Structure formats: C-alpha cells, structure tokens
C-alpha cells in the first residue's frame, strides 16, 4: 500500500534548485544551533538557566562592579563552585585608553555606554559582562599591538566576532577588554582553480556565501546565525552546522592567528598538502580564542552544484533509521548532503505549537527522517534518490515518504525540523542538551531518560543523525529541583560512559568549562592547560573559559 | 576531427569494477610516493644522495660506533652543518636490557644482529642507524612502561611501524632504542553504521583494507607501500596518497597516543563532532613520532562504491589542465576520485624506458591527465564522465581522450603515471623534489627551471594536480656540483616565495629537519619547539628529526 504510494509517479514530485539551501527559513532569531540552552527568569526576575553541565547556574548580573561574582547553584553531584575575578589582572586606567587610542585612533576605541551594553551581552541575553572598553582593530598589525600591550599590562581580553555564541564564550565575564574584529571584513583573495578563499576574520559568513555565489562556489559550512556570525568566530569555535556530513569540520581550514604576546603566526598557506612540522593551526581551531586571536582565514570552498533534492520519510523504529543511514551512505554516498531525524514526540510538538505546519506523510510513525542530496546532475540524482527510497520501502525500512516537488515544499519540510526549538519554547520549560554519541546509542539515552522521568516530563530526540549529534530535549511545565536532580548528572554520566561528548558543536565557553572532564581525560586536560600556559603565560586571552576554573584559580 | 573521435561510440569503451583501485600494479618495490628522493653511490662507493633541502648530504654509515657523525656536504647557500649524537642521552647497558625483558618478556626484546640490521636500515637503504636493541610491545600499557623507563633513564627512542618512510624518520640516526609496534596488530572494533574502524597502530594498511572489503567499506587512504606500512605510521606521518582529493587528509582521524613520560592520552573517541577543549590529536598526526607514540587509531572509513571509471586525456597547454580541473570539480565533483597529470617529457621518458607501454591517445601533446571517478551508479557515472569529456572537447580544452574499457586498459593507463619513477631511474641521475604549490603556479616552476638549466638537464613535471602536489624531477647524465648549484636553493626559494611547501606528503624526518624554515615562519617553528619541549622535556622521542637540529644542539 505504502509501496504503491511511493511508486505512484505523482508522489515523486521533485525539485532542482541551485539556491535551495539559501532559501531555507532564515533562523537568525532562533538559530538551528540554539539547542542545548534556554533562557528563563526566576521568580525574582533574575536571569536563570538550565545548561549542559552538572551545575544549575544562576548568573547574577551586577553591572560594572569589578570583583563581581558568578554564583553557581549546584543541583548535581558536584559541590558548588564560584568564579571570581582573577586578582592578578590589572584594571583599566586612562593611560591604557590613551595607549589604545594611539594604536587604533580615537574612533575605534569605544567607551560609549550603549555600544558597550550590546557588546557585553550575548545574543540570548543570558551572559553579561562589565567591560568598559571595546577595541576595533582594522588589521593584524593592530591586533598584534593591542595584545602586546595587554600582555605587558596583564589586561584580560575577550576576542569577539559576531557574538552569536551559545556558551558565553564571546562576551566578558567581568571587565575584560573586548577586541571585536568586525572592521576586519575584507575578502583578500579567491582562487577559482583551487576554490581557496582567503579573507579577514571579521567577514560575515553570509557575505562570504554571497560573494562565492557569484563565482559559482559555496562555503563548506551553513549556520542559522550566518547573517551575523564571523568566519573568524566560526573557525575559533569549530562551528558545525548542516554541511558537516558532506564537507567535514573546519579543521580543514588554515589561518593566521596572533598569540597573547602579539606574535603573528602565519599559517595562512593555501595548500592542500603540507607535511613540514606540527600542524599548529588545529590548536586555534575550536579553542574559542583562548590561545590566540584568529585574524585571517584561508578556507577550501566547494563548487556550487546544480541539483538539490529533499525527501521526508517515516520509519517505525530507530533501528530502521540506522539502517537507512547506512544504506544512504552507501547508495547516495557522493550526493548525500543532509541526514536529519526527529521522533514522533518532536513532530507532535511542532504540529501542536506552530501554525501552518502539517505532517508531509499522512500516517503517524515513531520516527521521521529528512534526506537531502546535492549533486551535479538533476536527472541522475533524482533517479538515485527515488531508487534508494523504493529499495528502502521494499526492505521494510521506510513506511511512507515523499520527495519535495518545489522550493516551497522543501521549505515546509525543513520548517518541521527547524521549528522544533521554537515549538519547545512555546510548550513550557525546556531542559536542553547537545550531545555527540555513537549512532547506535543515540536513541537509547532518549528511551532511558523517558523511563527514568516517567510522567514528570516529555522527552524528545532529534538532530543531525548523520553526524551522530543528538539534541536531547526535556519539556516540562516548569523548572524544578526534583527534575534537574533526575536529569543531571545522569545525562552527563550516561554520555561519558558511552564515550560521547557533552558538547557536539557549541564549545565549552564559560558555561561548560568545569564540565570538560565528562568528555576528556585528566591527562588530556593537563596537556591543554600546559599549552594554554605556553601560548598565553599570563592567561589574558578569554579567561574563565574552555578550561576548568580550578586549573587557573590563581 | 578529435571531437568526432571522442563521439564515436567505440571510443567510449568503459569499465565498472569494484576492485579497480586494488588491482592497480602493486608498487611496493617502487612506491608511488618514492619521488623526491634518489639513492646513489658516490665514486668511493659511499651512500650519496640528492634531497629536498639546501644541503647535499653525504651520510657516512659508520656502523655501530656511538658518537658517529653525519657529515653534511653543502652545495647551496647555507653553511655546512653536522649532526652529532646528543651527549646527554644515556647509552644502553645490560641493566636496561634486563628491565625491558621484565616489561616485555625475553622474546620481545630483540638483540639479534640480523633483525637489528633490518630494523636499523630504511627500505631505500639510504639511512642506517646503529641501534643495539629493538623492543616489540604488545599493547599500550607496555608502550607506556617502556617510555616511562626510557624517559627516566634518558634513553633516546625511535618509534617504528612498517619502516616505509622516505625521509629517514623511522630508523635510528645513532643508537636510539627501536620501538616497533608490529605486534600491536588487532582490529578492535568496526561499526557498520558510522563506518568507524578502531584498531591498534601496528595494523598493516592492506590488511585493514582486506578486512573492510568484506564489510563493504574502504580505507580513506591508498598508498604504494600499503603491503608493509602500518596505520600508526600513516597517521604519525599524515600520509597522503591517491584518495586525498576525495576523502581529505588523516587529520580527520582520532587516536590514542603515549607521550614521552608514559602518559596515555586517550583521544580515541569514535565521534564525528566533539567541541570540548583543544583538539590535541592533531599534534600527533604528522609529527612523525616526535611528540608521542600512536598506539591505537580510530578512523572514519568510506562505503565501497560499485562504479569506477578512468579517462586518459591530452591537452595542449597547462592553462587547459587547470580549467579542466575546475570543470571536473564542478561537473564530476561528487564522483571525482583522482586527478593526476604528467607533461610530455614525462610521457617520452616512460615510452622510451619501459617495455610494453604505449600512449593511449594517438597524438602527441604537451600534457596528459588521468581522471578517475568512483560512484554508486555505473550508468549515471559513466554518462557524467562522457558528457564532461565531450563538453571539454567542445570548449577546446581537451584535444584527445579515451575512457578505459576494462581493468587491463585502466591498469595500462595507470602504468604510465606510476611508471615515471622507474623510467627516471633507468634514464640516469635524477634530482627529485616533492612540492606543494598553488595549482596556478605548479607548472611555472617547471618552465622557470627548464629555462634556467637549458641543455644541462631534462626537467619534468607530474603529480597529484588535484591536490596541488607537484613531483618536480630533473634528469641528467650524472650528479654534479654545477647542476646542484643551479637547482638549490633556487627550488626551495621559489617554493617559499610562492607560499609552497617543500614537503607535500613525505614529512621532514632527519633529511629535511633543517629545511623547515623554507615553509614555516620562525615564530611557528619556535612554538613547535616549545610544544616538543612540553611533551618530551628530555627530547628522547625520535631525536634529530622534524625540527631543526640547531634548536636542540644541547
């Protein structure tokens, strides 16, 4: 019956559109990667949050008082901890401001309260620092001079790009000087033969995508925050996103970075192969500005392919989802560009809370999968996807499915997957986790947690199945200690036990700095700390973040 | 005319074969990656060589004398330099041997002269150490214990895998203790859903490929030395090879490594995404065993695809080669699996010196290109390749071309590309360089050098065009100072000026350790040295290699 349905030609309506990915709903306000966090206010109107960490944090935003305290309220098994401003850091004085004005000119040394208010606050309005100064360097040389000065004065700094991070990594914790690279926004070179783009760190991702579009290329990453985020920030945080399954992580990128003492490390080669010594660029990719400030980026872009197809399918069980992934990698391998999944609880939530959304397949199933292909030949790619779906249907892996007929239909399919975050926010309190797990374990944690919580909450699982990245969400009427106590540290321990990662794509920032041991061994963290000390002996670069505070208490 | 030729259906003879790559001629004796080196003996019968470095080295192999000297004869602009055994390293005594026997058992502590002779000598018989001891640990714990002991005693060690390296990195320079991981050869896990293979470092690449073949997967790298080389060595040297254009470098791999003091760093996660702290594994990938010994590897393998096609085409000029590369990436993008080129001088050499080789296209042209596709649908892929070649012909980029009709014909095409090294050796003295350069510059250095050398030598260019990797070869009647003086340091300076790399895929080893500054800035090398000091304070791990000897003179 379902087989017949898929076989009827009118159901195999397709589309081929060059700019499909670009036409997905712009999610700047609720980015794809927002999961793992929720902003909420407690009964006294104070900022209050749930995060992926075994502490339940209450950040008290005390304005500009130096020595301000971030109080951690502990619900998990760990003891309460606090972050205090490091007393060894100097406080900014008027002589410092004059020195910065000499380096940058008056205009690019920002003391204006309103602009500082914005720069001190992250986009979720969850983290707020009290910096009194933002510097806007125009080039690498100026970044080098600033850092040299700050290092000599032991002034702490926070590197900032588009400030779209989700772990409090891009705003000051206390009074760190903000170094925003937004003025460094030039494309420096593009080579149509190799596809290598060289640009400054402050280029906005979407602007680069627009520039490349005219050349027939695409960026190898696509993020919800692309309208604001900077490529330097993307590289510094090793941003993930929807194209990772196809083009891999940003560790393929090369770059120029400036270390704490102002040394410029030129690792900006445009070569695909270079085996001359240690590949240091990887230290700066994903270290969240704690080892150096990325000033230029050289990145391998991809030819824009002309044919995009999107299928929405339903499956009875998670084992079938896994099998479809294996088959898709084998049969669609070279054209597979996205493999996303959601469970029925997620689908219900979207249908109940978002207007104008309908289930593309008429039947209700336990799981739904979006499979996108991107290739160079519309007819071939379409036939490949159709043949693949038919085969999956014959094998009983798929119970129903449709292929989008045009951009609007494709957009409506993506709306379901991308609308989950919005629907969750409308549904009440939500405890969000962003985990990397072996694919075969991904849904076990959802089931285990569902059993553990019973009637107390609605547990949902969705995410980038092709990358082993689960967005685990627990929706409840309100936030309460009992529920948190049941979830944490259970989720982290479960993740750790299955060799998962407590941060698949968001980084650690200030939020999860203390939770690193759930994913990394003490030996590994010790070496990280030594490398931090090596490249930033005075600890001025993005302090209180990435590494456990205990390692740097004094 | 040529257009008609390509259009005639009998010319479009194809093949589709699962195991094409595996059936390429086994080049263990003359591996694909041998270029860049030549073994030659001087008039006194001493080992004599040309290498990619501004020194023309004469290695005197003085057997087992401690304190033996490696004399560098200088032909370039740099002053002569020498390597001396570091006096701070201890010399092995009987107590050490007893201690190792306690850790490993008698059998796996090798003092046998014949076995040591083999282990002390690299496969080219170009580098020879004088170690008196080889250790064969069976697991990570034993590696850890060995290193802990050696570190405490300040006994220098050389990690060794299949000993197929080309830069003297895998054999002792003096009396370093050899730690060979050949007994650590177990596959530990394979996940058919994610495609992640976990194995011990001593697994032979070909054995892993055979194991995966039964599961329907392939290794993401393919090397000439696959019958002997170990996966641990591949990772430690960031080996390149033929599949790099498709699957990228080994920096996508994760691993477990043991540092000098015996600390086991477990970075063996099987996750595609993990943003929790600095990604330290990259330090061990390509650092040639100088920071730690890789003991286990977790690697993302690829589904084996059923359709392989190979085209051999001729082009008038290098600009056309570049344009074809751009078009191939765009039009064949997702199925492109190799893009190799050779110039007419290389073709002539092969035709003149190898038996049974003929030019697959009847006309003589300036350049030839091999394009291989690997995909999941034979009919589609074949049509795609045909359409692409027709389009290239219509645009005037291609002047002639054929598609292999079967495995034998494909093998005969590959024989041309892979036979160049052998033909060069038969032709006389050869000066070999392995450079990474921006694609648009690749043939400029060939032309410039041709002009510079005039009638003195025959300059040839071939290599992995798709990766920007040139094998620059100069064939002459004999080795002489005048020629070397014209080539070096000219080639390195040219490469450096164009932001190229003097080692695209072979690493630095002992051979090019002093040449690192041609490709890396002093600031970058200084940080490398600091990291070396951090992870291996006593410098016992693979000394005299990778980093300039001057940095570790005492």
């Amino acid at each position: 019956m379902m087989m017949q349905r898929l076989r009827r030609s009118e159901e195999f309506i397709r589309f081929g559109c060059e700019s499909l990915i670009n036409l997905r709903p712009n999610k700047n306000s609720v980015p794809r990667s927002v999961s793992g966090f929720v902003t909420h206010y407690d009964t006294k109107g104070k900022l209050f949050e749930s995060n992926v960490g075994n502490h339940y944090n209450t950040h008290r935003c005390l304005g500009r008082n130096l020595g301000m305290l971030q109080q951690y309220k502990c619900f998990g098994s760990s003891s309460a901890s606090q972050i205090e401003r490091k007393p060894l850091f100097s406080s900014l004085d008027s002589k410092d401001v004059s020195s910065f004005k000499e380096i940058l000119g008056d205009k690019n040394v920002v003391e204006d309260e309103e602009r500082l208010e914005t720069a001190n606050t992250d986009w979720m309005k969850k983290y707020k620092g009290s910096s009194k100064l933002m510097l806007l360097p125009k080039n690498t040389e100026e970044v080098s001079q600033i850092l040299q000065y700050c290092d000599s004065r032991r002034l702490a700094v926070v590197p900032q790009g588009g400030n779209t991070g989700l772990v409090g990594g891009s705003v000051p914790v206390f009074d760190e000087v903000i170094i925003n690279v937004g003025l460094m926004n030039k494309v420096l070179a593009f080579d149509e033969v190799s596809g290598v783009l060289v640009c400054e760190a402050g280029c906005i991702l979407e602007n680069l995508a627009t520039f490349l579009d005219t050349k027939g290329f695409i960026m190898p990453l696509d993020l919800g925050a692309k309208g604001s985020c900077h490529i330097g920030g993307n590289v510094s945080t090793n941003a993930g996103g929807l194209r990772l399954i196809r083009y891999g992580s940003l560790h393929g990128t090369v770059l120029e970075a400036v270390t704490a003492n102002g040394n410029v490390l030129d690792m900006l080669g445009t070569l695909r192969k270079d085996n001359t010594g240690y590949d240091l660029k990887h230290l700066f990719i994903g270290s969240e500005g704690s080892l150096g400030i990325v000033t230029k980026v050289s990145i391998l872009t991809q030819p824009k392919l002309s044919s995009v197809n999107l299928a929405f399918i339903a499956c009875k069980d998670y084992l079938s989802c896994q099998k479809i992934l294996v088959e898709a990698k084998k049969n669609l391998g070279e054209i597979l560009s996205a493999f996303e999944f959601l469970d029925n609880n997620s689908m219900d939530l979207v249908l109940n809370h978002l207007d104008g959304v309908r289930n593309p397949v008429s039947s209700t199933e336990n799981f739904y999968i979006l499979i996108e292909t991107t290739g160079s030949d519309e007819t071939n790619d379409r036939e490949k996807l159709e043949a693949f779906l038919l085969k999956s249907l014959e094998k009983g892996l798929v119970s129903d499915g449709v292929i989008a007929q045009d951009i609007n239909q494709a957009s409506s399919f993506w709306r379901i997957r991308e609308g989950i975050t919005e629907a969750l926010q409308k549904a009440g309190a939500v405890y969000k986790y962003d985990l990397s797990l072996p694919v075969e374990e991904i849904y076990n944690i959802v089931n285990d947690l569902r059993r553990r919580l019973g009637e107390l909450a609605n547990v949902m699982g969705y995410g980038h199945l092709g990358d082993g990245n689960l967005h685990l969400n627990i929706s409840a009427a309100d936030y309460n200690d009992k529920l948190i106590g049941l979830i944490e540290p259970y989720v982290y321990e479960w993740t750790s036990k299955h060799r998962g990662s407590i941060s698949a794509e968001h980084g650690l920032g200030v939020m999860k700095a203390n939770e690193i041991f759930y994913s990394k061994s003490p030996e590994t963290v010790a070496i990280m700390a030594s490398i931090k000390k090596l490249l930033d002996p005075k600890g001025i670069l993005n302090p209180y973040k990435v590494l456990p505070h205990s390692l740097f208490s004094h």
Side-chain angles (χ1 to χ4, degrees), chain A:
Chain A
M1 168 73 177
M2 282 304 123
M3 170 86 89
Q4 280 167 351
R5 180 162 182 234
L6 260 178
R7 276 188 176 150
R8 270 189 293 136
S9 65
E10 64 265 40
E11 291 297 328
F12 277 104
I13 36 186
R14 312 124 189 160
F15 68 95
C17 171
E18 291 196 17
S19 53
L20 179 65
I21 289 170
N22 298 335
L23 286 172
R24 283 177 195 156
N26 188 317
K27 309 291 286 180
N28 264 0
S29 54
V30 187
R32 288 186 186 106
S33 44
V34 76
S35 59
F37 307 91
V38 61
T39 308
H40 201 79
Y41 291 87
D42 68 11
T43 47
K44 287 166 194 151
K46 288 215 175 89
L47 203 54
F48 182 93
E49 65 177 52
S50 161
N51 67 22
V52 184
N54 63 344
H55 301 110
Y56 192 63
N57 303 352
T58 308
H59 291 252
R60 291 193 189 135
C61 299
L62 304 176
R64 297 177 181 221
N65 306 326
L66 301 188
M68 113 189 189
L69 195 70
Q70 289 214 348
Q71 190 87 41
Y72 281 72
K73 190 179 168 197
C74 177
F75 285 74
S77 57
S78 305
S79 58
S81 64
Q82 297 175 338
I83 313 177
E84 281 186 65
R85 183 184 183 283
K86 279 177 79 171
L88 285 174
F89 289 140
S90 305
S91 293
L92 195 75
D93 62 27
S94 59
K95 212 179 131 205
D96 297 324
V97 177
S98 302
S99 300
F100 290 129
K101 284 182 175 169
E102 270 175 40
I103 298 170
L104 303 174
D106 289 7
K107 203 180 65 178
N108 295 326
V109 177
V110 179
E111 296 178 278
D112 174 72
E113 290 211 3
E114 208 169 312
R115 291 177 73 187
L116 281 173
E117 173 80 9
T118 306
N120 268 307
T121 314
D122 81 319
W123 78 267
M124 298 180 295
K125 307 216 185 302
K126 210 171 97 175
Y127 297 96
K128 193 171 176 185
S130 54
S131 176
K132 290 176 175 169
L133 199 70
M134 175 165 66
L135 305 177
L136 303 171
K138 293 183 297 298
N139 51 51
T140 304
E141 180 52 31
E142 288 186 355
V143 174
S144 168
Q145 287 178 46
I146 293 168
L147 286 181
Q148 218 167 339
Y149 182 88
C150 291
D151 194 57
S152 70
R153 275 276 292 135
R154 204 162 193 149
L155 277 170
V157 303
V158 55
Q160 189 176 73
N163 195 12
T164 60
L166 295 162
V167 288
S170 58
V171 289
V173 176
F174 300 106
D175 60 333
E176 300 93 275
V177 172
I178 300 164
I179 302 178
N180 187 299
V181 298
L183 296 182
M184 297 168 61
N185 57 6
K186 286 190 288 295
V187 169
L188 301 173
F190 178 66
D191 176 13
E192 299 200 27
V193 177
S194 64
V196 172
L197 171 78
V198 185
C199 64
E200 290 181 318
C203 289
I204 290 172
L205 180 58
E206 195 164 53
N207 293 352
L208 294 176
T210 306
F211 167 81
L212 287 174
D213 192 65
T214 63
K215 309 278 183 188
F217 285 79
I218 60 165
M219 289 294 285
L221 77 160
D222 181 27
L223 300 178
K226 65 184 164 192
S228 309
C229 66
H230 292 184
I231 189 66
N234 296 148
V235 169
S236 297
T237 59
N238 190 28
L242 285 164
R243 289 181 188 160
L244 193 137
I245 191 175
R246 178 69 168 265
Y247 302 118
S249 87
L250 286 173
H251 279 279
T253 309
V254 290
L255 48 90
E256 176 190 84
V258 183
T259 58
N261 63 2
N263 258 347
V264 179
L265 296 186
D266 179 356
M267 300 167 288
L268 202 65
T270 52
L271 311 169
R272 188 94 196 259
K273 288 161 94 172
D274 175 23
N275 278 351
T276 56
Y278 313 154
D279 207 347
L280 296 182
K281 65 172 188 276
H282 296 291
L283 282 178
F284 298 89
I285 298 169
S287 58
E288 306 180 44
S290 66
L291 296 179
I293 298 185
V294 171
T295 45
K296 288 177 192 155
V297 169
S298 166
I299 188 165
L300 184 67
T301 70
Q302 300 292 335
K304 187 175 164 181
L305 301 178
S306 57
S307 146
V308 181
N309 288 280
L310 183 66
F312 193 100
I313 60 178
C315 303
K316 279 201 173 51
D317 50 43
Y318 182 71
L319 191 63
S320 296
C321 297
Q322 278 188 67
K323 285 182 179 168
I324 292 169
L325 176 60
V326 174
E327 293 294 317
K329 280 187 182 171
K330 192 172 285 180
N331 291 287
L332 302 172
E334 68 272 21
I335 56 170
L336 187 65
S337 55
F339 195 103
E340 301 284 314
F341 93 115
L342 54 145
D343 61 10
N344 193 38
N345 292 29
S346 307
M347 174 65 96
D348 273 349
L349 200 85
V350 171
L351 296 176
N352 290 334
H353 291 279
L354 300 188
D355 291 336
V357 173
R358 68 170 195 89
N359 186 343
V361 292
S362 48
S363 56
T364 298
E365 271 302 355
N366 292 318
F367 294 93
Y368 302 94
I369 296 174
L370 281 99
I371 301 178
E372 188 191 69
T373 67
T374 307
S376 57
D377 187 315
E378 199 181 326
T379 312
N380 286 354
D381 296 350
R382 200 170 55 210
E383 284 171 6
K384 223 177 245 188
L385 183 58
E386 281 172 20
F388 168 71
L389 291 181
L390 274 179
K391 202 171 141 192
S392 304
L393 200 68
E394 283 164 5
K395 285 186 178 173
L397 300 175
V398 168
S399 53
D400 201 354
V402 285
I403 299 181
Q405 68 178 319
D406 56 26
I407 302 165
N408 291 336
Q409 201 174 359
S411 193
S412 74
F413 291 2
W414 277 117
R415 173 72 177 138
I416 297 166
R417 165 64 187 83
E418 296 186 315
I420 302 173
T421 303
E422 193 183 336
L424 278 162
Q425 284 178 318
K426 290 186 178 177
V430 58
Y431 305 81
K432 294 169 88 60
Y433 302 87
D434 168 41
L435 310 172
S436 215
L437 283 167
V439 174
E440 65 273 20
E441 296 293 349
I442 275 192
Y443 212 70
N444 289 342
I445 190 170
V446 180
N447 284 329
D448 283 0
L449 201 62
R450 207 166 265 161
R451 275 191 291 273
R452 186 175 169 87
L453 300 184
E455 296 298 312
L456 289 174
N458 181 14
V459 182
M460 275 151 290
Y462 64 95
H464 315 293
L465 191 63
D467 303 324
N469 186 179
L470 171 72
H471 295 318
L472 173 67
N473 286 256
I474 299 110
S475 179
D478 55 14
Y479 294 99
N480 65 74
D481 288 11
K482 187 185 168 193
L483 202 50
I484 277 285
L486 284 169
I487 300 170
E488 299 178 13
Y490 180 80
V491 166
Y492 313 118
E493 286 170 356
W494 202 104
T495 304
S496 181
K497 188 178 148 197
H498 292 86
R499 303 186 72 97
S501 167
I502 59 157
S503 179
E505 55 186 9
H506 297 157
L508 295 170
V510 67
M511 180 175 156
K512 289 179 275 182
N514 282 334
E515 324 301 340
I516 193 169
F517 294 107
Y518 280 114
S519 290
K520 293 283 162 71
S521 71
E523 291 82 5
T524 309
V525 175
I527 291 181
M528 289 181 197
S530 306
I531 287 175
K532 167 75 175 170
K533 195 146 184 80
L534 183 72
L535 292 178
D536 179 18
K538 295 178 185 166
I540 64 162
L541 279 166
N542 225 3
Y544 321 109
K545 298 172 186 163
V546 189
L547 294 172
H549 307 136
S550 57
L551 293 179
F552 302 98
S553 51
H554 291 290

